[in-house]
């Protein structure tokens, strides 16, 4: 009898709790949302229940297609510029800008996962490719940035965060969209989107072609031309078949970015018999940055190609399975090269290439037992064929060649030696459980963990806990804890002396985070984030490259930060955003016992912007990016780099010729402010510049046609 | 044995309950969309008439619209929700929502819809067949197709802001 009563009580409680959930998805609540917000609500999410950004058990920034258009974002870097929590160092060449998530300077672009439609896009080898001009946003429906460690779901390298770019599908495009743009520095680009859904088939194809001479830094060389991009392109296509309860998609995408080395290294001004480039740089060692031998100064020709097939099977609203197989190739094409001098007397021509591939398969399952209990689980197997660092070449430094009657160059007949590679296998599995309760209003608990095994770096266990409390309609609190890891790359592993029995460990991070979100009305959203990142076993490149003190994982970094974010619709036609970040990053080298502020990270910075729809005809968007003083590396004689404030303007038309034609004008650094980024790596003025000069005003005009 | 049986029944109940709730969520979302559409349409109805939203066929959207009608108005006009069982019942209204559960063919409904009525449906292909707006589920998100010819034929004008968000059907 007693048991029966217990069961009846549970039964009634179940019903009551389920009923309580309806309040958050009630029609009165939905009436406060705009059409665009309604369109962004998942009717059924992967976990089987409706969830908003506030309810999600993570800190998420969403950049919508509308914001991309209003603010004139052309590539990923433009969009990341306006969000809190990302520090950037612009090299203006050699792969794209370096991004540092929440104060995590170092490990260039390796501490975040870039995903496109859920498939990781990062270079397998570990060179610092993350986006770039070929990664255009014209075919992006939205960008989701998940902050903090998410290895519990995604495995290696979901360390500081995950950037997931969601592409527009055929039905979203529903026709043809083409763009042509021209801009400063002889920039030109063409972009297109075409797609449709007909019956059970959906098709989407997007592409870009981008070229620029890039900004000129004449203090490095009067004929500087190292920041060019020559016909960088992308092609992204997918075909989906919609069966009654499943969608099967085959997709292919390729990105290629032939570009100069920019300000990656110092200019060898002594060799070129030029005045010093300034800022305490020595000009003895460096890379040629103007055209030579009738060709470009240098070339970094990065490529990524991904093919995938996936099936989403959803027999009912409570259960779905996503199965995916993909094959990806990444590397630097073998036409890449630099001219470098180490002693200011002769140049060495250095060809550079690498090639790696990955075959991967994954199955993830989401099951919603009820509105209270949701489970997610998955298994992933990756097999990497990864090159052992940059490919070795023949080396002849003793035979000089006189080029153009001026330059003494050696090694010009260098050829590649056979490719050496490792086979690495990763097996990962995860389980996550969400529990929804009506404790203190509505409180959701998320418990998750992932276990990974890799044939090089061994085992990794990544737990995650999140508690989300929605107190009334307007207030949300979150508490988050997570651990994640970054896998050492083959570039790092093979920088050390050969045969030294050297074994790198994983970098580890533990993050604690607290969030408060307050929406006094549907038109205002205030968010406050507080976080602490503790990094251990940090890999430091300069120690790895020294044969004398090759330490395995010598660094530790701790970062405390606070972010304040405001998004508001001031009127129906005016939207605004503002965010400010305070962070304090402290690092210690456990070999040298030296400690200090982490370079490249501003204590204070902020962004703000305003978008106005004028007469239903123009959209004017103004934004400002303020970055405070940034410390430089200990080895940098220049010292700290002072802050800057840049203003950006975008004006675009809407509804011109019944929305068939759009025209936009974008000006970056409107007031031509002179600004610098701190140098990266050693920034000692020897091989790497002490500071990196940045361009003044630049503009872009774009015409789009919708058919 | 009894415990196991009871447990299974409880689980089944909670599963069925969750599915029902899911449908309600979707209905609420559609009703919220419909309410938003109203703001972007240039209506020509006389100022003193109530704003009539009709639903043909059984649909949980009807209940969600009733909830809206209790608390909202359109430019000071009361919202009235009416229900039609079959096409012969159709009387002049501002919006006609055609439920996926309607047992009648679309053409038999559309021939009875007069000028000034905005038709909204929720079946794949219906916008191409002549409704002004049609809800579609795209990767778990509710989107809407718009048929500009059908809107024009109804003697209505949709703002370009609304059409910009729609999947245009030609």
């Amino acid at each position: 009898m007693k048991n029966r009563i217990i069961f009846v009580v549970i039964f009634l409680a179940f019903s009551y709790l389920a009923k309580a959930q309806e309040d958050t998805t009630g029609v009165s609540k939905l009436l406060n949302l705009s059409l665009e917000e309604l369109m962004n609500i998942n009717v059924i999410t992967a976990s089987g229940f409706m969830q908003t950004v506030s309810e999600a058990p993570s800190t998420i920034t969403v950049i919508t297609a509308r914001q991309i258009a209003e603010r004139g974002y052309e590539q990923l870097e433009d969009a990341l510029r306006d969000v809190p929590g990302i520090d950037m160092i612009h090299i203006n060449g050699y792969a794209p800008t370096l991004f540092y998530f929440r104060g995590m300077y170092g490990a260039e672009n390796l501490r975040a996962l870039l995903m496109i439609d859920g498939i990781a896009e990062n270079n397998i080898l570990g060179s610092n490719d993350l986006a770039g001009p070929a990664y255009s946003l014209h075919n992006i429906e939205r960008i989701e940035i998940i902050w903090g460690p998410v290895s519990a779901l995604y495995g290696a390298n979901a360390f500081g965060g995950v950037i997931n770019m969601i592409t527009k599908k055929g039905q979203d495009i529903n026709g043809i969209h083409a763009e042509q743009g021209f801009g400063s520095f002889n920039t030109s680009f063409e972009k297109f989107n075409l797609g449709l859904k007909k019956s059970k088939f959906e098709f989407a194809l997007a592409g870009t072609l981008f070229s620029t001479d890039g900004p000129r830094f004449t203090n490095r060389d009067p004929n500087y031309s190292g920041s060019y991009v020559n016909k960088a392109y992308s092609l992204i296509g997918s075909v989906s078949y919609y069966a009654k309860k499943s969608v099967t998609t085959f997709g292919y995408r390729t990105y290629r970015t032939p570009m100069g080395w920019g300000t990656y290294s110092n200019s060898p001004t002594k060799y070129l018999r030029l005045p010093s480039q300034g800022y305490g740089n020595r000009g003895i060692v460096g890379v040629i940055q103007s055209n030579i031998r009738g060709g470009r100064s240098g070339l970094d020709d990065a490529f990524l190609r991904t093919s995938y097939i996936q099936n989403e099977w959803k027999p009912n609203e409570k259960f779905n399975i996503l199965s995916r197989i993909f094959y990806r190739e990444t590397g630097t094409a073998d036409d890449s090269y630099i001219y470098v001098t180490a002693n200011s007397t002769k140049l060495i021509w250095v060809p550079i290439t690498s090639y790696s591939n990955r075959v991967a398969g994954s199955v993830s399952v989401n099951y919603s037992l009820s509105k209270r209990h949701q489970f997610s689980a998955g298994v992933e197997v990756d097999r990497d064929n990864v090159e052992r660092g940059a490919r070795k070449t023949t080396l002849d430094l003793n035979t000089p060649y006189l080029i153009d009657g001026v330059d003494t160059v050696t090694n010009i007949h260098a050829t590649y030696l056979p490719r050496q590679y490792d086979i690495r296998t990763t097996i990962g599995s995860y389980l996550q459980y969400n529990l929804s309760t009506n404790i203190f209003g509505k409180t959701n608990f998320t418990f998750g963990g992932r276990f990974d095994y890799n044939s090089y770096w061994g085992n990794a266990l990544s737990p995650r806990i999140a508690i989300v409390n929605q107190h009334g309609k307007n207030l949300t609190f979150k508490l988050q804890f997570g651990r994640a890891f970054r896998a050492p790359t083959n570039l790092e592993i093979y920088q050390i002396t050969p045969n030294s029995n050297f074994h790198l460990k994983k970098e580890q991070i533990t993050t604690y985070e607290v969030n408060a979100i307050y929406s006094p009305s549907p038109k205002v959203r205030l968010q406050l984030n507080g976080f602490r990142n503790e990094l251990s076993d940090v890999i430091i490149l300069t120690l790895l490259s020294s044969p004398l003190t090759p330490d395995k994982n010598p660094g530790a970094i701790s970062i405390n930060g606070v972010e304040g974010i405001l998004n508001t619709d001031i009127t129906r036609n005016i939207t605004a955003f503002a965010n400010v970040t305070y962070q304090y990053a402290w690092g210690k080298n456990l070999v040298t016992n030296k400690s200090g502020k982490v370079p490249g990270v501003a204590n204070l910075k902020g962004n703000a912007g305003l978008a106005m729809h004028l007469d239903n005809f123009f959209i004017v968007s103004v934004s400002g990016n303020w970055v405070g003083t940034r410390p430089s590396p200990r080895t940098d004689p220049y010292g700290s780099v002072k802050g800057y404030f840049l203003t950006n303007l975008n004006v675009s038309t809407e509804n011109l010729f019944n929305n068939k034609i759009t025209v936009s004008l974008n000006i970056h650094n409107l007031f031509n402010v002179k600004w610098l980024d701190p140098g990266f790596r050693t920034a000692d003025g020897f091989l790497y510049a002490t500071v990196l000069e940045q361009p003044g005003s630049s503009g872009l005009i774009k015409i789009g046609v919708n058919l | 044995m009894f415990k196991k049986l009871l447990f299974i029944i409880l689980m089944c109940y909670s599963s069925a309950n969750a599915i029902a709730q899911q449908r309600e969520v979707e209905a609420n979302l559609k009703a919220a969309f419909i309410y938003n559409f109203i703001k972007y349409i240039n209506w020509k109805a006389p100022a003193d008439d109530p704003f009539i939203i009709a639903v043909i066929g059984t649909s949980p959207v009807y209940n969600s619209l009733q909830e809206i009608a209790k608390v909202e108005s359109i430019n000071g006009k009361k919202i009235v929700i009416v229900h039609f069982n079959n096409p012969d019942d159709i009387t002049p209204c501002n919006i006609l929502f055609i439920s996926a559960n309607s047992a009648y063919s679309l053409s038999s409904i559309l021939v009875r819809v007069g000028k000034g009525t905005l038709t909204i449906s929720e079946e794949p292909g219906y916008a191409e067949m002549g409704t002004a707006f049609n809800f579609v589920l795209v990767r778990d998100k509710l989107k809407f197709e718009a048929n500009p010819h059908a809107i024009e034929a109804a003697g209505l004008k949709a703002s370009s802001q609304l059409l910009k968000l729609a999947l245009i059907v030609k």
Side-chain angles (χ1 to χ4, degrees):
Chain A
M1 183 63 190
K2 189 180 165 188
N3 286 339
R4 288 181 197 186
I5 290 169
I6 290 169
F7 271 114
V8 170
V9 169
I10 292 171
F11 177 81
L12 292 173
F14 230 101
S15 305
Y16 170 74
L17 288 170
K19 190 72 191 162
Q21 300 299 325
E22 291 172 20
D23 295 340
T24 59
T25 55
V27 70
S28 58
K29 187 182 175 189
L30 296 172
L31 287 183
N32 293 325
L33 303 179
S34 69
L35 269 177
E36 281 157 318
E37 287 167 322
L38 291 171
M39 290 170 79
N40 264 326
I41 289 175
N42 276 14
V43 177
I44 306 154
T45 65
S47 54
F49 66 107
M50 192 166 137
Q51 202 171 51
T52 64
V53 168
S54 293
E55 290 169 334
S58 299
T59 308
I60 300 178
T61 300
V62 177
I63 301 163
T64 64
R66 177 184 168 181
Q67 290 167 335
I68 289 169
E70 277 181 357
R71 299 174 191 174
Y73 299 150
E74 289 295 329
Q75 52 180 291
L76 183 61
E77 176 189 329
D78 299 333
L80 298 183
R81 190 176 62 207
D82 286 337
V83 301
I86 295 181
D87 288 281
M88 298 186 185
I89 290 182
H90 303 79
I91 299 174
N92 291 292
Y94 172 58
T97 298
L98 304 178
F99 303 110
Y100 303 118
F101 269 55
R102 284 184 164 173
M104 284 182 253
Y105 176 85
E108 293 145 12
N109 292 0
L110 297 172
R111 291 191 181 129
L113 272 186
L114 172 67
M115 302 180 106
I116 298 178
D117 292 329
I119 301 176
E121 189 68 19
N122 302 47
N123 191 314
I124 303 161
L125 180 68
S127 58
N128 56 348
D129 304 88
L130 190 64
Y135 286 79
S136 168
L137 299 183
H138 74 292
N139 69 324
I140 298 301
E141 186 189 308
R142 68 184 189 280
I143 305 166
E144 295 177 350
I145 304 169
I146 305 171
W147 298 91
V150 226
S151 284
L153 284 176
Y154 300 107
N157 304 343
F159 193 88
V162 172
I163 303 169
N164 195 5
M165 297 166 73
I166 314 292
T167 60
K168 289 178 180 169
K169 305 301 178 288
Q171 192 159 21
D172 299 326
I173 302 164
N174 195 33
I176 301 171
H177 173 77
E179 292 178 4
Q180 169 88 60
F182 302 97
S184 308
F185 316 129
N186 198 25
T187 298
S188 67
F189 61 78
E190 292 81 32
K191 303 178 180 182
F192 75 90
N193 266 341
L194 64 95
L196 79 161
K197 187 177 178 200
K198 206 79 180 168
S199 184
K200 292 183 173 180
F201 288 93
E202 187 172 38
F203 164 75
L205 186 69
T208 59
L209 185 65
F210 180 96
S211 292
T212 183
D213 290 346
R216 296 182 65 209
F217 303 104
T218 53
N219 63 319
R220 289 172 164 259
D221 189 322
N223 299 312
Y224 179 93
S225 61
S227 293
Y228 76 91
V229 179
N230 183 26
K231 294 178 182 165
Y233 68 82
S234 66
L235 195 64
I236 305 109
S238 66
V239 180
S240 298
Y241 174 75
Y242 288 75
K244 196 170 181 183
K245 292 182 176 175
S246 72
V247 184
T248 302
T249 302
F250 171 73
Y252 176 75
R253 50 184 186 250
T254 179
Y255 298 89
R256 188 153 186 170
T257 316
M259 64 200 299
W261 286 73
T263 56
Y264 166 75
S265 174
N266 264 335
S267 174
T269 48
K270 285 203 187 316
Y271 171 82
L272 297 169
R273 296 176 180 80
L274 292 170
S276 162
Q277 73 181 58
Y279 304 108
N281 291 302
R282 300 193 212 177
I284 299 166
V285 178
V287 171
I288 291 294
Q289 291 159 28
S290 56
N291 291 357
I292 183 170
R293 295 175 65 193
R296 302 281 194 177
S297 53
L299 172 65
D300 182 69
D301 191 359
F303 66 86
L304 298 98
R305 295 185 284 264
T306 307
S307 310
Y308 65 92
I309 184 161
Q310 66 179 37
N311 176 269
E312 300 166 73
W313 182 55
K314 193 179 291 183
N316 55 54
E317 286 96 336
K318 296 163 64 63
F319 182 73
N320 67 72
I321 298 179
L322 173 64
S323 311
R324 178 187 287 147
I325 297 170
F326 75 86
Y327 174 70
R328 187 151 55 91
E329 298 175 301
T330 65
T332 303
D334 60 10
D335 55 351
S336 303
Y337 63 92
I338 53 171
Y339 289 90
V340 62
T341 179
N343 57 12
S344 296
T345 60
K346 62 184 178 188
L347 298 175
I348 308 165
W349 182 74
V350 182
I352 297 164
T353 192
S354 72
Y355 169 86
S356 301
N357 67 51
R358 168 175 292 177
V359 183
S362 65
V363 177
S364 53
V365 180
N366 296 292
Y367 176 60
S368 180
L369 177 65
S370 68
K371 292 246 343 174
R372 289 196 68 202
H373 306 278
Q374 290 98 30
F375 298 89
S376 302
V379 180
E380 180 181 339
V381 179
D382 302 341
R383 181 190 178 275
D384 291 340
N385 177 319
V386 57
E387 186 143 5
R388 292 182 175 175
R391 195 166 307 164
K392 303 278 187 300
T393 67
T394 59
L395 188 63
D396 175 9
L397 302 180
N398 299 319
T399 311
Y401 297 85
L402 194 64
I403 304 299
D404 300 336
V406 179
D407 296 308
T408 304
V409 184
T410 63
N411 204 39
I412 60 174
H413 296 298
T415 55
Y416 292 112
L417 296 174
R419 175 176 176 267
Q420 293 186 299
Y421 61 90
D422 294 314
I423 300 293
R424 304 210 193 284
T425 304
T426 309
I427 301 169
S429 58
Y430 71 88
L431 178 66
Q432 182 170 284
Y433 168 59
N434 295 307
L435 170 68
S436 303
T437 73
N438 61 348
I439 299 170
F440 303 124
K442 178 188 177 189
T443 303
N444 293 348
F445 298 86
T446 301
F447 306 96
R450 173 165 166 145
F451 178 79
D452 286 277
Y453 162 79
N454 178 274
S455 52
Y456 178 79
W457 43 257
N459 299 333
L461 181 64
S462 310
R464 177 169 174 256
I465 299 171
I467 302 169
V468 181
N469 170 251
Q470 290 189 289
H471 196 76
K473 277 170 64 178
N474 305 327
L475 199 55
T476 303
F477 295 103
K478 298 184 186 183
L479 286 172
Q480 302 179 62
F481 163 81
R483 296 200 72 187
F485 68 98
R486 176 176 85 79
T489 70
N490 256 18
L491 271 183
E492 292 167 330
I493 292 165
Y494 286 100
Q495 285 216 356
I496 47 86
T497 318
N499 307 317
S500 62
N501 195 25
F502 189 82
H503 196 89
L504 276 175
K505 292 188 286 186
K506 309 174 294 291
E507 280 190 357
Q508 313 257 22
I509 184 172
T510 303
T511 292
Y512 308 89
E513 183 163 349
V514 57
N515 317 88
I517 302 167
Y518 178 58
S519 295
S521 83
K523 298 182 187 306
V524 180
R525 189 171 186 275
L526 285 158
Q527 181 163 349
L528 199 62
N529 306 325
F531 63 88
R532 177 176 172 78
N533 293 327
E534 294 174 353
L535 280 70
S536 57
D537 295 331
V538 173
I539 298 164
I540 298 177
L541 279 173
T542 49
L543 281 180
L544 295 180
S545 59
S546 164
L548 299 175
T549 56
D551 190 82
K552 292 174 182 172
N553 294 72
I557 297 173
S558 63
I559 306 141
N560 296 315
V562 179
E563 295 159 349
I565 302 158
L566 167 68
N567 289 297
T568 178
D569 292 359
I570 297 171
T571 68
R572 186 168 169 156
N573 293 319
I574 302 177
T575 59
F577 72 91
N579 55 68
V580 63
T581 302
Y582 171 80
Q583 56 192 1
Y584 189 79
W586 189 263
K588 184 171 184 180
N589 188 317
L590 301 175
V591 172
T592 63
N593 257 333
K594 288 179 177 166
S595 61
K597 286 177 79 173
V598 173
V601 177
N603 281 150
L604 268 171
K605 58 186 179 166
N607 309 291
L610 197 68
M612 294 168 283
H613 292 250
L614 304 178
D615 280 342
N616 209 18
F617 190 70
F618 282 112
I619 307 170
V620 178
S621 169
V622 183
S623 64
N625 307 119
W626 166 60
V627 175
T629 301
R630 286 174 287 176
S632 57
R634 180 181 293 277
T635 46
D636 184 348
Y638 183 85
S640 295
V641 173
K642 70 176 185 181
Y644 63 83
F645 183 88
L646 302 183
T647 308
N648 309 303
L649 172 71
N650 189 70
V651 180
S652 55
T653 62
E654 52 180 350
N655 309 320
L656 203 60
F657 301 113
N658 203 22
N659 212 24
K660 297 283 185 205
I661 293 177
T662 57
V663 180
S664 67
L665 170 70
N666 186 281
I667 302 174
H668 183 238
N669 191 1
L670 185 64
F671 300 111
N672 199 26
V673 170
K674 302 290 177 205
W675 60 294
L676 298 169
D677 271 341
F680 69 115
R681 299 192 180 174
T682 55
D684 56 4
F686 200 59
L687 178 58
Y688 300 110
T690 54
V691 292
L692 299 175
E693 308 90 340
Q694 299 301 329
S697 295
S698 61
L700 200 65
I701 189 159
K702 186 173 76 172
I703 299 169
V705 179
N706 292 308
L707 299 172
Chain B
M1 182 63 191
F2 170 74
K3 286 180 199 171
K4 284 179 186 169
L5 194 63
L6 190 56
F7 181 76
I8 290 166
I9 292 167
L10 279 174
M11 288 301 107
C12 290
Y13 169 79
S14 66
S15 303
N17 203 23
I19 291 169
Q21 282 173 36
Q22 196 60 56
R23 288 192 185 124
E24 191 178 327
V25 166
E26 194 173 323
N28 287 345
L29 204 50
K30 284 176 179 168
F33 266 96
I34 292 169
Y35 178 71
N36 262 283
F37 288 166
I38 296 167
K39 302 174 194 168
Y40 293 93
I41 301 289
N42 189 8
W43 300 97
K44 291 174 180 170
D48 52 345
D49 286 355
F51 194 92
I52 300 171
I53 304 177
V55 176
I56 183 162
T58 54
S59 170
V61 174
Y62 177 81
N63 292 336
S64 303
L65 288 169
Q66 289 277 27
E67 290 295 312
I68 293 175
K70 283 179 196 165
V71 292
E72 299 290 342
S73 60
I74 307 292
N75 296 329
K77 290 204 275 185
K78 193 181 168 194
I79 302 174
V80 175
I81 312 298
V82 298
H83 181 257
F84 303 138
N85 283 320
N86 61 63
D88 292 334
D89 293 346
I90 294 174
T91 54
C93 54
N94 298 95
I95 290 177
L96 177 66
F97 178 73
I98 303 163
S99 164
N101 297 326
S102 169
Y104 299 90
S105 70
L106 180 64
S107 57
S108 69
I109 295 169
L110 289 181
V111 293
R112 286 169 176 81
V113 175
K115 274 223 165 200
T117 298
L118 188 79
T119 48
I120 303 174
S121 54
E122 54 175 352
E123 275 286 290
Y126 268 28
E128 286 166 324
M129 291 163 68
T131 60
F133 292 103
N134 185 47
F135 290 118
V136 287
L137 212 52
V138 180
R139 303 203 183 236
D140 296 342
K141 290 183 177 175
L142 197 62
K143 309 259 168 141
F144 60 96
E145 298 170 332
N147 181 336
H149 297 303
I151 298 167
E152 198 182 330
L156 300 170
K157 194 168 184 310
S159 94
S160 54
Q161 276 175 297
L162 180 62
L163 294 178
K164 204 171 171 181
L165 296 171
L167 305 164
I168 302 294
V169 169
K170 290 161 186 169

